[in-house]
């Protein structure tokens, strides 16, 4: 899960780099983790009149032959400027078949290791991107673009309110997005997941307010973005509820929240203190402490697959220890220093271990790169890792519907649904339902495998899951 969303970071326009010897000519391939999906990137390098040129492919996103910006090379250092995405790539070439570097887009940084590949340039012709569920006008409901501010007037929010036509006394929900700054439509990989959700619900007689996150769409960023945590985003939801209370057509006793991923942690935070919240739906919401979710994601990213139980245990002990330091500091230099101590201790205790056998990338650099990646959001990460959702779930008496997909590799279904259920039972809540859908991923798309890329799936949101939500909301608010 990701600071408000790692999913949209590698979108349609990207570019890349090169080097200054003939051995760098050719194709280079690496993977970036985007919201739990390994996104392959292939860069093709050539020289024309002593000038380097590069093109970029993202096969999972059906994007080929994308041109890059300027490239600077000095000794083994490579710097690629990518103006189209306000980004860059900085790497060091090992002189043979690997470049170790960091990809940056805006405030996001992530390690990117490229290795030589035989994949040819422009080997595939892009197929038309099909997203059949994206809503199309004309609409048989009311849709209004709105603006509102938070309590201290430091943030102005842009949003869309959709309301059923010719209907009174209907329920209304606020959509709360997952991690990463997302627009009101939940745009990622050409999917409009929150718009698809809002369209379905409003057609079913349910009002929906969907809001641009801070720094996305027409919502302002507000002060001190590096200090923002889920508690601040909970206050943003409070502002959305306050706006709904100004609308005379809204039944103030039928206001609910739908939280996806991190939003599934935020919805209970709001509901336990705001008595206007009549019901909530948690979509891939957390039911276990954040550090458990985080460590599970990092073990999957850092540890080689198919290890023996013994080898996996040795590898997991390092990953868990290295990432534990995010829980106790928000200072990058402090975290890095503590990581170096932990790594040295692990190496001393496991001197005979072959790191290449255990890890996708050996050494301490991947962990230090993780610190760089989250440097603009270390306060958010610390809060997330120390947050236990049971704290608020165990106080909820209102109706709750918790849904997850069995193929979700970001917020695993069984342990999180079980955690939610146990907390609601502790609250003696008699009005909750939980359900795990087979073959649905973190975005509630029907997938052929947990690793299938979100962008490779035409479906934006499972119709079965959509129907489950609208039926439950209307039944709950009769």
């Amino acid at each position: 899960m990701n600071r408000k969303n790692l999913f949209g970071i590698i979108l349609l326009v990207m570019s890349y780099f090169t080097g200054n010897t003939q051995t760098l000519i050719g194709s280079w391939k690496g993977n970036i983790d985007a919201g739990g999906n390994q996104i392959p990137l292939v860069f093709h390098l050539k020289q024309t009149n002593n000038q380097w040129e590069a093109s970029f492919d993202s096969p999972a996103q059906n994007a080929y032959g994308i041109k890059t910006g300027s490239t600077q090379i000095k000794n083994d250092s490579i710097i690629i400027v990518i103006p189209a995405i306000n980004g860059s790539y900085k790497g060091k070439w090992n002189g043979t078949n690997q470049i170790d570097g960091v990809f940056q887009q805006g405030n996001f940084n992530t390690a990117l290791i490229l290795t030589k590949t035989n994949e040819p340039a422009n080997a595939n012709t892009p197929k038309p991107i099909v997203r059949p569920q994206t809503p199309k006008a004309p609409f048989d409901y009311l849709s209004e673009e709105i603006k509102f501010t938070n309590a201290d007037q430091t943030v102005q929010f842009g949003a869309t309110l959709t309301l059923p036509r010719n209907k009174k006394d209907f329920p209304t929900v606020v959509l709360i997005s997952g991690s990463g700054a997302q627009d009101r439509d939940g745009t990622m990989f050409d999917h409009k997941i929150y718009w698809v959700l809002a369209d379905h619900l409003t057609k079913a007689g349910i009002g929906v307010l969907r809001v641009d996150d801070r720094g996305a769409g027409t919502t302002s960023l507000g002060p001190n973005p590096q200090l923002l945590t889920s508690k601040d985003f909970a206050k943003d939801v409070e502002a959305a509820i306050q706006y709904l209370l100004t609308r005379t057509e809204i039944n103030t006793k039928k206001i609910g929240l739908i939280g996806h991923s991190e939003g599934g942690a935020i919805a209970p935070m709001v509901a336990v203190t705001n008595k206007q919240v009549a019901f909530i739906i948690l979509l891939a919401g957390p039911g276990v402490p954040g550090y458990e979710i985080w460590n599970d994601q990092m073990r999957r990213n850092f540890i080689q697959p198919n290890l023996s139980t013994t080898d996996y245990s040795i590898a997991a002990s390092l990953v868990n220890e290295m990432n534990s330091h995010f829980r106790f500091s928000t200072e990058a230099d402090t975290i890095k220093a503590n990581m170096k101590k932990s790594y040295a201790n692990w190496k001393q205790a496991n001197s005979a271990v072959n790191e290449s056998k255990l890890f996708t990338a050996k050494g301490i650099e991947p962990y230090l790169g993780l610190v760089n990646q989250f440097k603009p959001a270390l306060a958010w990460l610390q809060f997330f890792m120390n947050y236990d959702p049971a704290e608020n779930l165990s106080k909820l008496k209102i109706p709750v519907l918790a849904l997850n997909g069995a193929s979700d590799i970001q917020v695993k279904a069984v342990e999180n649904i079980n955690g939610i259920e146990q907390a609601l039972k502790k609250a003696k809540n008699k009005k909750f339902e939980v359900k795990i859908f087979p073959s649905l991923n973190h975005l509630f798309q029907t997938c052929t495998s947990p690793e299938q890329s979100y962008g490779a799936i035409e479906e934006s949101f499972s119709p079965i899951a959509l129907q489950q939500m609208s039926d439950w909301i209307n039944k709950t608010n009769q």
Side-chain angles (χ1 to χ4, degrees), residues 7 16 61 63 133 166 233 237 328 382 403 441 461:
F7 303 140
Y16 202 72
Q61 299 174 65
Q133 290 174 287
N166 305 317
F233 304 137
V237 176
F328 307 112
Q382 182 186 57
L403 306 177
N441 61 23
F461 208 114

Side-chain angles (χ1 to χ4, degrees), residues 19-255:
N20 62 357
T21 73
Q22 293 297 324
T23 54
L24 281 170
I25 293 175
S27 299
W28 298 78
K29 186 174 184 178
N31 291 284
I32 290 180
D33 182 79
N37 274 237
Q38 292 296 311
I39 306 297
L41 312 176
V42 184
F43 300 96
H44 310 285
L45 314 179
K46 66 178 182 178
Q47 270 189 321
T48 303
N49 298 326
N50 294 320
Q51 295 293 319
W52 284 96
E53 298 177 6
S55 63
F56 162 79
D57 300 338
S58 180
Q61 299 174 65
N62 195 39
Y64 298 92
I66 301 170
K67 295 295 183 182
T68 65
S70 65
T71 299
Q72 299 177 31
I73 299 172
K74 185 175 181 180
N75 299 323
D76 60 350
S77 296
I78 300 167
I79 301 176
I80 311 302
V81 179
I82 314 173
I85 58 167
N86 187 29
S88 67
Y89 179 83
K90 297 180 181 180
K92 285 188 177 293
W93 175 51
N94 69 355
T96 54
N97 63 351
Q98 183 168 305
I99 301 170
D100 295 344
V102 174
F103 169 79
Q104 171 263 326
Q105 180 180 3
N107 288 330
F108 173 77
N109 295 271
T110 188
L112 176 57
I113 298 173
L114 298 172
T115 56
K116 262 294 184 61
T117 177
N118 293 323
E119 293 189 26
N122 302 319
N124 298 286
T125 301
K127 297 178 181 178
I129 295 174
V130 179
R131 300 289 183 252
Q133 290 174 287
T134 299
K136 298 177 178 62
F139 304 114
D140 55 359
Y141 51 78
L142 302 173
S143 181
E144 182 182 348
E145 304 299 298
I146 61 171
K147 292 185 181 297
F148 59 92
T149 59
N150 58 353
D152 61 10
Q153 306 291 307
T154 57
V155 180
Q156 179 174 274
F157 298 91
T160 299
L161 178 64
T162 52
L163 302 173
R165 288 186 186 273
N166 305 317
K167 186 176 181 180
K168 297 181 179 181
D169 198 34
F170 50 82
T172 303
V173 298
V174 178
L175 301 188
I176 312 171
S177 72
S179 52
Q182 300 177 63
D183 66 27
R184 69 191 72 179
D185 296 334
T187 304
M188 72 188 66
F189 304 110
D190 294 291
H191 292 289
K192 305 281 187 179
I193 58 174
Y194 301 142
W195 190 9
V196 170
L197 174 55
D199 180 73
H200 171 85
L201 293 178
T202 312
K203 288 177 178 177
I206 301 160
V208 180
L209 178 63
R210 63 187 199 274
V211 186
D212 292 328
D213 292 334
R214 292 184 183 222
T218 60
T219 294
S220 59
L221 185 59
N224 302 315
Q226 73 280 3
L227 300 180
L228 294 174
T229 72
S230 300
K231 291 179 69 174
D232 297 287
F233 304 137
K235 293 177 183 177
D236 294 346
V237 176
E238 296 276 6
I241 294 171
Q242 289 303 308
Y243 171 78
L244 289 179
L245 296 178
T246 69
R247 301 289 298 234
T248 57
E249 64 268 65
I250 300 296
N251 185 333
T252 59
K253 295 182 179 180
K254 294 184 177 182
I255 293 175

